[in-house]
């Protein structure tokens, strides 16, 4: 087995040096490291191995490997053993596809239940484009939008993972996004959300977009590209960032829309849901 250590707050620079090897795909963990709770390295734990190359495993509500060589079977097995001891179990493993797949293949025999859902191929897309669209429809949401935005977010979540999220916890997260102006929407006159996206993690000049959703009645009309261009323009007027995201490979309309907006694929993610 590979030697693994649990990192302490004093070891933050060690972890940052690893995630900065690929700041676009590691933006989630980079954000966690740079926006940490007082006296802690992250809102969870980080384990590190340095032989033969540095790799990390973040364990919080989910698990995220970083810079893991999937061919290093000893290290993969060590990371899987750490996850097998988690009580209560994590909600998902997400990250670079070959790393997640390798961990899950080791973890599965010791896991109490089958994976509820596996998104095996999620293209990871990046954009260096500076968007400058006229903004006519979208705006930052605020807490007054909570009821309708929460409903849209729940529908997006259900469409993604096939079940509704836990109401209280999910509503609190949506409310915090609205208070922090990390939620963008196109709102009808009656307050309904017609389109939404959320600002996810942000660090070192990269911002990960998540929670993109268009009302079902508006799909197939060619609206997504324009709405996303407006939303990205709104984001970049506030933050000097490049954009990144991952999307399911079967979501062909979304992939075509992102291609039209100048996004390029730089890797593949995988998510194993429990």
């Amino acid at each position: 087995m590979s030697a693994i250590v649990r990192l302490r707050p004093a070891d933050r620079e060690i972890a940052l040096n690893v995630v900065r090897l690929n700041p676009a795909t590691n933006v989630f963990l980079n954000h966690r490291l740079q926006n940490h709770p007082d006296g802690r390295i992250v809102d969870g734990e980080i384990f590190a191995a340095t032989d033969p190359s540095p790799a990390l495993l973040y364990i919080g509500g989910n698990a995220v490997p970083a810079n893991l060589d999937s061919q290093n079977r000893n290290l993969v097995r060590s990371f899987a053993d750490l996850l097998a001891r988690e009580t209560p179990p994590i909600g998902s493993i997400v990250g670079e596809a070959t790393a997640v797949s390798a961990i899950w293949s080791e973890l599965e025999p010791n896991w109490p239940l089958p994976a509820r859902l596996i998104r095996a191929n999620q293209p990871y897309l990046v954009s260096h484009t500076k968007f400058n669209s006229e903004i006519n429809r979208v705006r930052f949401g605020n807490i007054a939008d909570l009821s309708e935005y929460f409903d849209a977010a729940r529908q997006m979540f259900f469409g993604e993972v096939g079940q509704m999220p836990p109401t209280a916890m999910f509503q609190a997260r949506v409310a915090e996004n609205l208070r922090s102006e990390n939620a963008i929407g196109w709102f009808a006159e009656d307050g309904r959300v017609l389109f939404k996206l959320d600002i996810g993690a942000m660090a070192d000049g990269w911002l990960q977009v998540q929670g993109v959703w268009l009302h079902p009645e508006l799909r197939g009309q060619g609206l997504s590209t324009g709405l996303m261009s407006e939303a990205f323009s709104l984001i970049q007027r506030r933050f000097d960032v490049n954009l990144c995201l991952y999307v399911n490979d079967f979501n062909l309309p979304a992939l075509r829309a992102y291609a039209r907006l100048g996004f390029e694929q730089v890797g593949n993610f995988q998510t194993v849901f429990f």
Side-chain angles (χ1 to χ4, degrees), residues 53-193:
S53 59
L56 303 176
L57 179 67
Y58 164 82
I59 304 177
N62 55 4
V64 181
N67 205 45
L68 173 62
D69 179 2
S70 62
Q71 300 303 309
N72 186 340
R73 302 309 301 179
N74 285 338
L75 181 53
V76 168
R77 193 171 301 116
S78 295
F79 279 179
D81 288 345
L82 285 170
L83 294 175
R85 295 196 292 268
E86 283 295 301
T87 304
I90 56 172
S92 67
I93 310 172
V94 59
E96 196 275 324
T98 59
V100 171
S101 178
I103 290 174
W104 176 235
S105 68
E106 291 288 344
L107 180 61
E108 186 175 12
N110 301 313
W111 201 251
L113 294 171
R116 181 176 58 80
L117 179 66
I118 298 178
R119 298 297 195 199
N121 185 14
Q122 298 173 302
Y124 200 94
L125 311 177
V126 303
S127 169
H128 297 274
T129 301
K130 299 305 179 184
F131 291 90
N132 192 29
S133 295
E134 186 174 348
I135 299 169
N136 296 314
R137 293 167 291 186
V138 306
R139 62 170 173 82
F140 286 106
N142 57 63
I143 197 62
D145 302 310
L146 177 58
S147 176
E148 298 292 348
Y149 203 90
F150 174 59
D151 182 61
R154 289 174 77 243
Q155 291 183 55
M156 181 279 301
F157 188 97
F158 182 82
E160 171 62 25
V161 303
Q163 68 177 30
M164 285 297 182
T167 300
M169 181 178 69
F170 193 72
Q171 187 175 47
R173 185 185 310 163
V174 171
E176 179 56 30
N177 276 347
L178 289 166
R179 291 191 189 95
S180 304
E181 292 195 333
N182 287 331
I184 294 172
W186 177 25
F187 298 87
E189 290 185 3
D190 61 4
R192 288 181 303 126
V193 176

Side-chain angles (χ1 to χ4, degrees), residues 192-210:
R192 288 181 303 126
V193 176
L194 305 177
F195 164 83
K196 66 170 286 295
L197 66 76
D198 299 319
I199 295 173
M202 181 169 57
D204 287 351
W206 286 96
L207 184 149
Q208 190 176 77
V209 175
Q210 61 188 32

Side-chain angles (χ1 to χ4, degrees), residues 215-230:
H215 195 287
E217 294 178 0
L218 299 177
R219 294 172 189 170
Q221 301 179 34
L223 294 171
S224 293
T225 303
L227 288 164
M228 287 193 292
S229 183
E230 285 191 32

